Amino acid sequence: GENVEQHPSTLSVQEGDSAVIKCTYSDSASNYFPWYKQELGKRPQLIIDIRSNVGEKKDQRIAVTLNKTAKHFSLHITETQPEDSAVYFCAATLGTGNQFYFGTGTSLTVIP
Amino acid sequence: NAGVTQTPKFQVLKTGQSMTLQCAQDMNHNSMYWYRQDPGMGLRLIYYSASEGTTDKGEVPNGYNVSRLNKREFSLRLESAAPSQTSVYFCASSEDGGREQFFGPGTRLTVL
């Protein structure tokens, strides 16, 4: 099956700085890559996703990049704010598949 | 719309006891999922249902059974609970495979 690795496991940044979280995957057939944000005690919620026919996608301060050749994708958060503090999970799956494989999560702390 | 709902929110069991976790969605989604979340392990798929009447094993199905009662409801049963099943359980649904998953609020289960 697919194996998704996520780094770093913890990340602290000053408010206003950028944060980058990286994930690698093993199955070259995977072609849908979502990112979920989970605040403490809450449910995971999708923040951005990308499909393999696209190299980059942006939504305001959040962007995701995908390198299919190297089998890795990254989440970029610019101008971080305290409310960005949460655990972020990447995932990978086949385009129409139901088997989502999640990374182990990155705990992001934004220091005011 | 309530989205995805789960009951109960908390549960404490003794080893060997059985219980059923309930999940319902009101978004007319075809696909439904059960995950467990353990510290440092991310979200791991237990079972999923791609459509009403079908269920399939995920990454960690041992010790669990599921029922897709109808399009709205997907239950998870622990027949003989073990301490290793202490976890937070999330139900999720999506329109179809390879699409955004919407998560329920979670059930925190402790097995003594």
Side-chain angles (χ1 to χ4, degrees):
Chain A
E2 174 67 279
N3 181 45
V4 177
E5 295 189 356
Q6 183 172 347
H7 300 281
S9 57
T10 60
L11 179 61
S12 292
V13 299
Q14 292 291 136
E15 182 177 358
D17 287 350
S18 295
V20 181
I21 303 170
K22 299 182 179 180
C23 288
T24 61
Y25 61 98
S26 61
D27 191 338
S28 57
S30 292
N31 59 8
Y32 175 60
F33 307 93
W35 284 89
Y36 286 81
K37 176 184 180 181
Q38 186 177 27
E39 296 177 354
L40 189 63
K42 300 291 181 67
R43 72 192 78 186
Q45 291 188 295
L46 182 77
I47 54 171
I48 196 166
D49 56 11
I50 192 167
R51 297 192 184 272
S52 60
N53 57 344
V54 176
E56 182 176 1
K57 184 177 179 180
K58 292 184 74 173
D59 182 4
Q60 299 183 333
R61 296 186 297 109
I62 294 173
V64 56
T65 57
L66 171 65
N67 184 326
K68 281 208 73 180
T69 303
K71 290 191 281 189
H72 68 71
F73 56 111
S74 300
L75 177 71
H76 304 255
I77 306 174
T78 59
E79 300 172 21
T80 53
Q81 302 168 3
E83 50 265 39
D84 294 330
S85 295
V87 178
Y88 292 81
F89 293 97
C90 63
T93 189
L94 298 177
T96 58
N98 286 284
Q99 291 248 28
F100 277 60
Y101 295 88
F102 283 82
T104 50
T106 296
S107 179
L108 173 65
T109 302
V110 180
I111 304 166
Chain B
N1 286 354
V4 181
T5 57
Q6 292 180 235
T7 56
K9 290 187 177 180
F10 302 93
Q11 184 71 50
V12 179
L13 293 177
K14 294 181 179 179
T15 297
Q17 288 185 319
S18 62
M19 78 161 296
T20 300
L21 281 64
Q22 306 285 356
C23 174
Q25 53 91 9
D26 62 2
M27 296 174 280
N28 200 37
H29 284 169
N30 290 312
S31 300
M32 297 187 72
Y33 312 82
W34 277 105
Y35 291 92
R36 59 178 290 171
Q37 184 174 37
D38 302 294
M41 300 289 286
L43 292 151
R44 291 183 293 168
L45 183 64
I46 304 171
Y47 271 94
Y48 66 94
S49 170
S51 61
E52 185 179 353
T54 69
T55 61
D56 284 287
K57 295 179 179 179
E59 195 179 350
V60 288
N62 291 346
Y64 306 95
N65 284 300
V66 291
S67 296
R68 182 75 181 267
L69 305 170
N70 47 57
K71 193 170 185 179
R72 291 187 64 249
E73 299 172 287
F74 189 37
S75 63
L76 178 72
R77 182 159 179 84
L78 286 70
E79 290 291 351
S80 178
S84 60
Q85 295 178 305
T86 293
S87 188
V88 178
Y89 291 86
F90 285 99
C91 177
S93 72
S94 64
E95 189 174 346
D96 287 296
R99 305 287 292 271
E100 177 181 1
Q101 295 191 1
F102 294 84
F103 286 81
T107 295
R108 186 172 294 275
L109 174 67
T110 301
V111 183
L112 302 174

